[in-house]
Amino acid sequence: MTQDELKKMVGDLAATYVKDGMVVGLGTGSTVKFMVDALGHRVAKEGLKIVGVPTSDRTAAQGRKLGIPIKAVDEVDQIDLTIDGADQIDADFQGIKGGGAAHLFEKIVAINSKRNMWIVDESKMAPKLGSFPLPLEVIPYGSQQLFKRLAAKGLHPAFREQAGQRVLTDSKNYVIDLHLGQIDDAFRLAQYLNQQVGIVEHGLFLNVVNTVIVGYADGPKVLQAPERPNYRDLKA
Ligand code: 5RP
């Protein structure tokens, strides 16, 4: 199976978890794109009644095109289930997100959701986090100074660029990726990053996910994370 076929397999399966009347957080990325297609199909063919809360302009545009009613996070009371992709998931169900530069909105939607589901192909599963660079969304003002501090701390920062230009998020911020190789203590690193002025949000998603669907060549596996305090409470 190709990677795209694995992504479609988990995207299609995730869409079956959505029930009539739900407010659904819609993640961002190539895997979620398949899931949103499948949801659009259910809306058109089954008359499924849902409201989608997108995590990026890209996903909002796709949802609207497919006829999924779209609302912003502040226009809904609560989100029943958010389905998103991930860049890396470790053995403890902790994750790195932001490969698509959308982790700020993804985290806001995730922490306001009753349940979170991640859909990934098997290449995203790893014993430890860190071989995927950790994205930071940073305010452009002062970002060069922040960059120097991160470099001095040995965190191997790199501004994300595309076609020679710095990548801008939907909020017009920059992305700095930390090339860490391996993260030994994700909670400690998150605490440090939370304290740095100029970092709007980092891509460590700790104690966020409830269910992970992994696409393997011989079929999807549905994994349940242990129930534990939500990220919201950890940050407080
Ligand atoms: C975007 C994300 C995506 O969920 C993550 O990058 C996975 O994307 P894909 O399904 O394309 O591999 O965090 O910011």
Side-chain angles (χ1 to χ4, degrees), residues 3 7 27-33 58 84-87 96-104 106 119-121 124 132 160 205:
Q3 200 179 19
K7 289 178 182 187
T28 294
S30 55
T31 316
V32 159
K33 198 161 180 287
R58 278 164 282 168
D84 203 347
D87 296 303
I96 288 181
K97 289 181 46 55
H103 64 275
L104 170 61
E106 289 172 337
I119 51 176
V120 292
D121 64 79
K124 308 288 185 66
F132 190 92
R160 193 181 298 178
F205 280 53

PDB file of all heavy atoms in Angstrom, residues 3 7 27-33 58 84-87 96-104 106 119-121 124 132 160 205, ligand 1:
ATOM      1  N   GLN A   3       1.683   5.302   0.892  1.00  0.00           N
ATOM      2  CA  GLN A   3       1.415   6.101   2.089  1.00  0.00           C
ATOM      3  C   GLN A   3       0.056   6.795   1.972  1.00  0.00           C
ATOM      4  O   GLN A   3      -0.699   6.888   2.938  1.00  0.00           O
ATOM      5  CB  GLN A   3       2.538   7.128   2.268  1.00  0.00           C
ATOM      6  CG  GLN A   3       2.610   7.651   3.674  1.00  0.00           C
ATOM      7  CD  GLN A   3       3.725   8.655   3.870  1.00  0.00           C
ATOM      8  OE1 GLN A   3       4.229   9.235   2.915  1.00  0.00           O
ATOM      9  NE2 GLN A   3       4.114   8.867   5.101  1.00  0.00           N
ATOM     10  N   LYS A   7      -3.156   6.649   4.437  1.00  0.00           N
ATOM     11  CA  LYS A   7      -3.790   7.857   4.973  1.00  0.00           C
ATOM     12  C   LYS A   7      -5.294   7.854   4.689  1.00  0.00           C
ATOM     13  O   LYS A   7      -6.102   8.239   5.528  1.00  0.00           O
ATOM     14  CB  LYS A   7      -3.146   9.106   4.348  1.00  0.00           C
ATOM     15  CG  LYS A   7      -1.736   9.372   4.834  1.00  0.00           C
ATOM     16  CD  LYS A   7      -1.136  10.590   4.156  1.00  0.00           C
ATOM     17  CE  LYS A   7       0.294  10.810   4.629  1.00  0.00           C
ATOM     18  NZ  LYS A   7       0.883  12.050   4.139  1.00  0.00           N
ATOM     19  N   GLY A  27      -8.948  18.857  11.764  1.00  0.00           N
ATOM     20  CA  GLY A  27      -7.517  19.152  11.782  1.00  0.00           C
ATOM     21  C   GLY A  27      -7.021  19.640  10.436  1.00  0.00           C
ATOM     22  O   GLY A  27      -7.792  20.092   9.585  1.00  0.00           O
ATOM     23  N   THR A  28      -5.720  19.547  10.272  1.00  0.00           N
ATOM     24  CA  THR A  28      -5.079  20.056   9.056  1.00  0.00           C
ATOM     25  C   THR A  28      -4.053  19.032   8.574  1.00  0.00           C
ATOM     26  O   THR A  28      -3.426  18.355   9.393  1.00  0.00           O
ATOM     27  CB  THR A  28      -4.382  21.393   9.370  1.00  0.00           C
ATOM     28  OG1 THR A  28      -5.394  22.352   9.700  1.00  0.00           O
ATOM     29  CG2 THR A  28      -3.586  21.923   8.174  1.00  0.00           C
ATOM     30  N   GLY A  29      -3.892  18.956   7.259  1.00  0.00           N
ATOM     31  CA  GLY A  29      -2.837  18.087   6.720  1.00  0.00           C
ATOM     32  C   GLY A  29      -3.374  17.111   5.689  1.00  0.00           C
ATOM     33  O   GLY A  29      -4.580  17.033   5.439  1.00  0.00           O
ATOM     34  N   SER A  30      -2.446  16.346   5.125  1.00  0.00           N
ATOM     35  CA  SER A  30      -2.812  15.463   4.014  1.00  0.00           C
ATOM     36  C   SER A  30      -3.658  14.271   4.474  1.00  0.00           C
ATOM     37  O   SER A  30      -4.467  13.748   3.702  1.00  0.00           O
ATOM     38  CB  SER A  30      -1.541  14.973   3.307  1.00  0.00           C
ATOM     39  OG  SER A  30      -0.671  14.369   4.248  1.00  0.00           O
ATOM     40  N   THR A  31      -3.493  13.833   5.718  1.00  0.00           N
ATOM     41  CA  THR A  31      -4.300  12.695   6.205  1.00  0.00           C
ATOM     42  C   THR A  31      -5.724  13.171   6.510  1.00  0.00           C
ATOM     43  O   THR A  31      -6.707  12.530   6.124  1.00  0.00           O
ATOM     44  CB  THR A  31      -3.647  12.086   7.470  1.00  0.00           C
ATOM     45  OG1 THR A  31      -2.242  11.975   7.256  1.00  0.00           O
ATOM     46  CG2 THR A  31      -4.223  10.711   7.772  1.00  0.00           C
ATOM     47  N   VAL A  32      -5.796  14.306   7.190  1.00  0.00           N
ATOM     48  CA  VAL A  32      -7.111  14.875   7.522  1.00  0.00           C
ATOM     49  C   VAL A  32      -7.903  15.220   6.255  1.00  0.00           C
ATOM     50  O   VAL A  32      -9.136  15.127   6.245  1.00  0.00           O
ATOM     51  CB  VAL A  32      -6.913  16.121   8.424  1.00  0.00           C
ATOM     52  CG1 VAL A  32      -8.124  17.030   8.396  1.00  0.00           C
ATOM     53  CG2 VAL A  32      -6.625  15.679   9.846  1.00  0.00           C
ATOM     54  N   LYS A  33      -7.184  15.567   5.214  1.00  0.00           N
ATOM     55  CA  LYS A  33      -7.870  15.910   3.954  1.00  0.00           C
ATOM     56  C   LYS A  33      -8.752  14.737   3.490  1.00  0.00           C
ATOM     57  O   LYS A  33      -9.891  14.936   3.067  1.00  0.00           O
ATOM     58  CB  LYS A  33      -6.826  16.247   2.890  1.00  0.00           C
ATOM     59  CG  LYS A  33      -7.338  17.000   1.700  1.00  0.00           C
ATOM     60  CD  LYS A  33      -6.168  17.661   0.969  1.00  0.00           C
ATOM     61  CE  LYS A  33      -6.630  18.440  -0.240  1.00  0.00           C
ATOM     62  NZ  LYS A  33      -7.040  17.610  -1.372  1.00  0.00           N
ATOM     63  N   ARG A  58      -6.971  26.377   5.080  1.00  0.00           N
ATOM     64  CA  ARG A  58      -7.044  25.294   4.076  1.00  0.00           C
ATOM     65  C   ARG A  58      -8.215  24.358   4.364  1.00  0.00           C
ATOM     66  O   ARG A  58      -9.010  24.033   3.493  1.00  0.00           O
ATOM     67  CB  ARG A  58      -5.769  24.439   4.131  1.00  0.00           C
ATOM     68  CG  ARG A  58      -4.598  24.969   3.389  1.00  0.00           C
ATOM     69  CD  ARG A  58      -3.334  24.271   3.837  1.00  0.00           C
ATOM     70  NE  ARG A  58      -2.853  24.791   5.112  1.00  0.00           N
ATOM     71  CZ  ARG A  58      -1.902  24.234   5.867  1.00  0.00           C
ATOM     72  NH1 ARG A  58      -1.350  23.108   5.497  1.00  0.00           N
ATOM     73  NH2 ARG A  58      -1.517  24.783   6.990  1.00  0.00           N
ATOM     74  N   ASP A  84      -7.577  14.876  13.941  1.00  0.00           N
ATOM     75  CA  ASP A  84      -6.427  15.601  13.391  1.00  0.00           C
ATOM     76  C   ASP A  84      -5.337  14.597  13.033  1.00  0.00           C
ATOM     77  O   ASP A  84      -5.364  13.440  13.468  1.00  0.00           O
ATOM     78  CB  ASP A  84      -5.919  16.613  14.441  1.00  0.00           C
ATOM     79  CG  ASP A  84      -5.140  17.763  13.802  1.00  0.00           C
ATOM     80  OD1 ASP A  84      -4.781  17.660  12.614  1.00  0.00           O
ATOM     81  OD2 ASP A  84      -4.894  18.750  14.510  1.00  0.00           O
ATOM     82  N   GLY A  85      -4.365  15.062  12.267  1.00  0.00           N
ATOM     83  CA  GLY A  85      -3.186  14.250  11.983  1.00  0.00           C
ATOM     84  C   GLY A  85      -2.134  14.504  13.051  1.00  0.00           C
ATOM     85  O   GLY A  85      -2.373  15.209  14.032  1.00  0.00           O
ATOM     86  N   ALA A  86      -0.962  13.935  12.865  1.00  0.00           N
ATOM     87  CA  ALA A  86       0.168  14.191  13.768  1.00  0.00           C
ATOM     88  C   ALA A  86       1.449  13.906  12.997  1.00  0.00           C
ATOM     89  O   ALA A  86       1.441  13.169  12.002  1.00  0.00           O
ATOM     90  CB  ALA A  86       0.087  13.312  15.011  1.00  0.00           C
ATOM     91  N   ASP A  87       2.529  14.508  13.471  1.00  0.00           N
ATOM     92  CA  ASP A  87       3.821  14.285  12.810  1.00  0.00           C
ATOM     93  C   ASP A  87       4.603  13.157  13.464  1.00  0.00           C
ATOM     94  O   ASP A  87       5.369  12.467  12.803  1.00  0.00           O
ATOM     95  CB  ASP A  87       4.643  15.578  12.824  1.00  0.00           C
ATOM     96  CG  ASP A  87       3.938  16.645  12.006  1.00  0.00           C
ATOM     97  OD1 ASP A  87       3.687  16.395  10.819  1.00  0.00           O
ATOM     98  OD2 ASP A  87       3.589  17.696  12.568  1.00  0.00           O
ATOM     99  N   ILE A  96       4.016  15.217  18.473  1.00  0.00           N
ATOM    100  CA  ILE A  96       4.515  16.449  17.862  1.00  0.00           C
ATOM    101  C   ILE A  96       3.590  16.757  16.703  1.00  0.00           C
ATOM    102  O   ILE A  96       3.271  15.875  15.895  1.00  0.00           O
ATOM    103  CB  ILE A  96       5.963  16.285  17.326  1.00  0.00           C
ATOM    104  CG1 ILE A  96       6.953  16.213  18.484  1.00  0.00           C
ATOM    105  CG2 ILE A  96       6.331  17.435  16.387  1.00  0.00           C
ATOM    106  CD1 ILE A  96       8.414  16.066  18.059  1.00  0.00           C
ATOM    107  N   LYS A  97       3.158  18.034  16.644  1.00  0.00           N
ATOM    108  CA  LYS A  97       2.343  18.500  15.530  1.00  0.00           C
ATOM    109  C   LYS A  97       2.889  19.848  15.057  1.00  0.00           C
ATOM    110  O   LYS A  97       3.682  20.470  15.722  1.00  0.00           O
ATOM    111  CB  LYS A  97       0.878  18.636  15.952  1.00  0.00           C
ATOM    112  CG  LYS A  97       0.226  17.278  16.167  1.00  0.00           C
ATOM    113  CD  LYS A  97      -1.236  17.343  16.568  1.00  0.00           C
ATOM    114  CE  LYS A  97      -2.061  18.275  15.766  1.00  0.00           C
ATOM    115  NZ  LYS A  97      -2.011  18.039  14.301  1.00  0.00           N
ATOM    116  N   GLY A  98       2.448  20.260  13.875  1.00  0.00           N
ATOM    117  CA  GLY A  98       2.878  21.549  13.349  1.00  0.00           C
ATOM    118  C   GLY A  98       3.683  21.457  12.071  1.00  0.00           C
ATOM    119  O   GLY A  98       4.156  22.471  11.559  1.00  0.00           O
ATOM    120  N   GLY A  99       3.817  20.224  11.564  1.00  0.00           N
ATOM    121  CA  GLY A  99       4.518  20.063  10.283  1.00  0.00           C
ATOM    122  C   GLY A  99       3.849  20.852   9.174  1.00  0.00           C
ATOM    123  O   GLY A  99       4.486  21.245   8.198  1.00  0.00           O
ATOM    124  N   GLY A 100       2.557  21.115   9.355  1.00  0.00           N
ATOM    125  CA  GLY A 100       1.815  21.910   8.370  1.00  0.00           C
ATOM    126  C   GLY A 100       1.625  23.354   8.836  1.00  0.00           C
ATOM    127  O   GLY A 100       0.794  24.080   8.284  1.00  0.00           O
ATOM    128  N   ALA A 101       2.376  23.755   9.863  1.00  0.00           N
ATOM    129  CA  ALA A 101       2.370  25.124  10.379  1.00  0.00           C
ATOM    130  C   ALA A 101       1.010  25.546  10.952  1.00  0.00           C
ATOM    131  O   ALA A 101       0.686  26.733  10.977  1.00  0.00           O
ATOM    132  CB  ALA A 101       2.826  26.123   9.305  1.00  0.00           C
ATOM    133  N   ALA A 102       0.228  24.570  11.405  1.00  0.00           N
ATOM    134  CA  ALA A 102      -1.120  24.902  11.899  1.00  0.00           C
ATOM    135  C   ALA A 102      -1.294  24.553  13.375  1.00  0.00           C
ATOM    136  O   ALA A 102      -2.415  24.555  13.881  1.00  0.00           O
ATOM    137  CB  ALA A 102      -2.159  24.160  11.056  1.00  0.00           C
ATOM    138  N   HIS A 103      -0.185  24.278  14.089  1.00  0.00           N
ATOM    139  CA  HIS A 103      -0.355  23.702  15.432  1.00  0.00           C
ATOM    140  C   HIS A 103      -0.961  24.661  16.452  1.00  0.00           C
ATOM    141  O   HIS A 103      -1.538  24.221  17.427  1.00  0.00           O
ATOM    142  CB  HIS A 103       0.968  23.122  15.948  1.00  0.00           C
ATOM    143  CG  HIS A 103       2.031  24.135  16.146  1.00  0.00           C
ATOM    144  ND1 HIS A 103       2.848  24.548  15.122  1.00  0.00           N
ATOM    145  CD2 HIS A 103       2.409  24.848  17.242  1.00  0.00           C
ATOM    146  CE1 HIS A 103       3.696  25.450  15.593  1.00  0.00           C
ATOM    147  NE2 HIS A 103       3.447  25.666  16.860  1.00  0.00           N
ATOM    148  N   LEU A 104      -0.867  25.976  16.222  1.00  0.00           N
ATOM    149  CA  LEU A 104      -1.483  26.909  17.184  1.00  0.00           C
ATOM    150  C   LEU A 104      -3.007  26.729  17.178  1.00  0.00           C
ATOM    151  O   LEU A 104      -3.622  26.488  18.224  1.00  0.00           O
ATOM    152  CB  LEU A 104      -1.107  28.357  16.848  1.00  0.00           C
ATOM    153  CG  LEU A 104      -1.869  29.435  17.628  1.00  0.00           C
ATOM    154  CD1 LEU A 104      -1.633  29.316  19.131  1.00  0.00           C
ATOM    155  CD2 LEU A 104      -1.477  30.825  17.140  1.00  0.00           C
ATOM    156  N   GLU A 106      -4.607  24.265  15.883  1.00  0.00           N
ATOM    157  CA  GLU A 106      -4.908  22.857  16.203  1.00  0.00           C
ATOM    158  C   GLU A 106      -4.941  22.644  17.715  1.00  0.00           C
ATOM    159  O   GLU A 106      -5.791  21.916  18.232  1.00  0.00           O
ATOM    160  CB  GLU A 106      -3.856  21.947  15.570  1.00  0.00           C
ATOM    161  CG  GLU A 106      -3.979  21.878  14.050  1.00  0.00           C
ATOM    162  CD  GLU A 106      -2.840  21.137  13.379  1.00  0.00           C
ATOM    163  OE1 GLU A 106      -1.746  21.027  13.961  1.00  0.00           O
ATOM    164  OE2 GLU A 106      -3.039  20.679  12.244  1.00  0.00           O
ATOM    165  N   ILE A 119      -5.090  10.616  13.481  1.00  0.00           N
ATOM    166  CA  ILE A 119      -5.045   9.606  12.414  1.00  0.00           C
ATOM    167  C   ILE A 119      -3.704   9.723  11.695  1.00  0.00           C
ATOM    168  O   ILE A 119      -3.322  10.792  11.249  1.00  0.00           O
ATOM    169  CB  ILE A 119      -6.242   9.759  11.442  1.00  0.00           C
ATOM    170  CG1 ILE A 119      -6.382  11.198  10.924  1.00  0.00           C
ATOM    171  CG2 ILE A 119      -7.530   9.344  12.133  1.00  0.00           C
ATOM    172  CD1 ILE A 119      -7.488  11.371   9.876  1.00  0.00           C
ATOM    173  N   VAL A 120      -3.004   8.607  11.633  1.00  0.00           N
ATOM    174  CA  VAL A 120      -1.638   8.617  11.078  1.00  0.00           C
ATOM    175  C   VAL A 120      -1.360   7.317  10.327  1.00  0.00           C
ATOM    176  O   VAL A 120      -1.979   6.292  10.591  1.00  0.00           O
ATOM    177  CB  VAL A 120      -0.573   8.748  12.210  1.00  0.00           C
ATOM    178  CG1 VAL A 120      -0.633  10.109  12.884  1.00  0.00           C
ATOM    179  CG2 VAL A 120      -0.696   7.633  13.232  1.00  0.00           C
ATOM    180  N   ASP A 121      -0.386   7.392   9.417  1.00  0.00           N
ATOM    181  CA  ASP A 121       0.130   6.141   8.864  1.00  0.00           C
ATOM    182  C   ASP A 121       1.248   5.663   9.783  1.00  0.00           C
ATOM    183  O   ASP A 121       1.747   6.422  10.620  1.00  0.00           O
ATOM    184  CB  ASP A 121       0.609   6.333   7.428  1.00  0.00           C
ATOM    185  CG  ASP A 121       1.782   7.277   7.345  1.00  0.00           C
ATOM    186  OD1 ASP A 121       2.911   6.845   7.627  1.00  0.00           O
ATOM    187  OD2 ASP A 121       1.565   8.475   7.038  1.00  0.00           O
ATOM    188  N   LYS A 124       4.526   7.428  11.386  1.00  0.00           N
ATOM    189  CA  LYS A 124       4.511   8.482  12.408  1.00  0.00           C
ATOM    190  C   LYS A 124       4.743   7.944  13.825  1.00  0.00           C
ATOM    191  O   LYS A 124       4.922   8.720  14.755  1.00  0.00           O
ATOM    192  CB  LYS A 124       3.160   9.220  12.391  1.00  0.00           C
ATOM    193  CG  LYS A 124       2.722   9.745  11.025  1.00  0.00           C
ATOM    194  CD  LYS A 124       3.542  10.920  10.604  1.00  0.00           C
ATOM    195  CE  LYS A 124       3.099  11.565   9.318  1.00  0.00           C
ATOM    196  NZ  LYS A 124       1.811  12.199   9.334  1.00  0.00           N
ATOM    197  N   PHE A 132      11.450  13.975  14.436  1.00  0.00           N
ATOM    198  CA  PHE A 132      10.736  14.977  13.641  1.00  0.00           C
ATOM    199  C   PHE A 132      11.001  16.336  14.306  1.00  0.00           C
ATOM    200  O   PHE A 132      10.811  16.484  15.521  1.00  0.00           O
ATOM    201  CB  PHE A 132       9.231  14.694  13.593  1.00  0.00           C
ATOM    202  CG  PHE A 132       8.515  15.563  12.594  1.00  0.00           C
ATOM    203  CD1 PHE A 132       8.324  15.133  11.295  1.00  0.00           C
ATOM    204  CD2 PHE A 132       8.071  16.836  12.946  1.00  0.00           C
ATOM    205  CE1 PHE A 132       7.695  15.949  10.356  1.00  0.00           C
ATOM    206  CE2 PHE A 132       7.450  17.659  12.015  1.00  0.00           C
ATOM    207  CZ  PHE A 132       7.257  17.210  10.720  1.00  0.00           C
ATOM    208  N   ARG A 160      11.665  28.116   9.378  1.00  0.00           N
ATOM    209  CA  ARG A 160      11.114  27.337   8.260  1.00  0.00           C
ATOM    210  C   ARG A 160      10.941  28.244   7.042  1.00  0.00           C
ATOM    211  O   ARG A 160      10.373  29.336   7.155  1.00  0.00           O
ATOM    212  CB  ARG A 160       9.774  26.705   8.642  1.00  0.00           C
ATOM    213  CG  ARG A 160       9.357  25.640   7.631  1.00  0.00           C
ATOM    214  CD  ARG A 160       8.035  25.015   7.956  1.00  0.00           C
ATOM    215  NE  ARG A 160       8.041  24.305   9.234  1.00  0.00           N
ATOM    216  CZ  ARG A 160       6.964  23.714   9.745  1.00  0.00           C
ATOM    217  NH1 ARG A 160       5.830  23.739   9.082  1.00  0.00           N
ATOM    218  NH2 ARG A 160       7.029  23.112  10.926  1.00  0.00           N
ATOM    219  N   PHE A 205       2.238  18.202  21.892  1.00  0.00           N
ATOM    220  CA  PHE A 205       0.845  17.957  22.297  1.00  0.00           C
ATOM    221  C   PHE A 205       0.889  16.842  23.340  1.00  0.00           C
ATOM    222  O   PHE A 205       0.957  15.656  22.996  1.00  0.00           O
ATOM    223  CB  PHE A 205      -0.005  17.554  21.089  1.00  0.00           C
ATOM    224  CG  PHE A 205      -0.444  18.716  20.232  1.00  0.00           C
ATOM    225  CD1 PHE A 205       0.463  19.638  19.732  1.00  0.00           C
ATOM    226  CD2 PHE A 205      -1.798  18.879  19.904  1.00  0.00           C
ATOM    227  CE1 PHE A 205       0.049  20.708  18.940  1.00  0.00           C
ATOM    228  CE2 PHE A 205      -2.222  19.943  19.114  1.00  0.00           C
ATOM    229  CZ  PHE A 205      -1.294  20.853  18.630  1.00  0.00           C
TER     230      PHE A 205
HETATM  231  C1  5RP B   1      -0.311  20.478  10.726  1.00  0.00           C
HETATM  232  C2  5RP B   1      -0.180  19.210  11.467  1.00  0.00           C
HETATM  233  C3  5RP B   1      -0.580  17.963  10.754  1.00  0.00           C
HETATM  234  O1  5RP B   1      -1.563  17.336  11.471  1.00  0.00           O
HETATM  235  C4  5RP B   1       0.623  17.087  10.664  1.00  0.00           C
HETATM  236  O2  5RP B   1       1.659  17.825  10.011  1.00  0.00           O
HETATM  237  C5  5RP B   1       0.339  15.810   9.879  1.00  0.00           C
HETATM  238  O3  5RP B   1       0.112  16.124   8.543  1.00  0.00           O
HETATM  239  P1  5RP B   1       0.038  15.001   7.425  1.00  0.00           P
HETATM  240  O4  5RP B   1      -1.215  14.254   7.667  1.00  0.00           O
HETATM  241  O5  5RP B   1       0.030  15.795   6.127  1.00  0.00           O
HETATM  242  O6  5RP B   1       1.272  14.156   7.535  1.00  0.00           O
HETATM  243  O7  5RP B   1       0.211  19.162  12.601  1.00  0.00           O
HETATM  244  O8  5RP B   1       0.208  21.546  11.454  1.00  0.00           O
END
